[in-house]
Amino acid sequence: QVQLVESGGGLVQAGGSLRLSCAASGRTSSSVAMGWFRQAPGKEREFVAAIRWSGGYTYYADSAKGRFTISRDNAENTVYLQMNSLKPEDTGVYYCAACRGVTTTSASDYDYWGQGTRVTVSS
């Protein structure tokens, strides 16, 4: 089993930046990839970015491309999401997740989830 704990959320004005962290523990070696998802108020969970533990391959949603950067520290079992040029539509609860299979953008394919950290971007 893998335990995930997100942190770093908060309130920021449009155009500002936040850095989210996801600390993983447990059987992290069984996870192929880590992903970030978000869920805005009244909306479905949405893929944001993913990264492979091995090699550091990254994948971004169109909404995140050019503004967000996902990275990982294998030694610390931690994944980060650097968010720049934030927009009000980035508001939501951000979740990190671990996938045991392959790198994927589908939430249903992820096996473990954190509790989420809230991000609010004001206009």
Side-chain angles (χ1 to χ4, degrees), residues 32-56:
V32 172
M34 299 290 293
W36 283 99
F37 293 79
R38 67 188 180 193
Q39 189 162 18
K43 295 187 177 181
E44 296 182 349
R45 187 168 47 189
E46 175 187 35
F47 171 77
V48 178
I51 188 168
R52 293 177 182 170
W53 284 113
S54 178

Side-chain angles (χ1 to χ4, degrees), residues 2-18:
V2 175
Q3 294 79 46
L4 306 172
V5 180
E6 304 99 329
S7 62
L11 175 64
V12 64
Q13 291 187 331
S17 299
L18 284 173

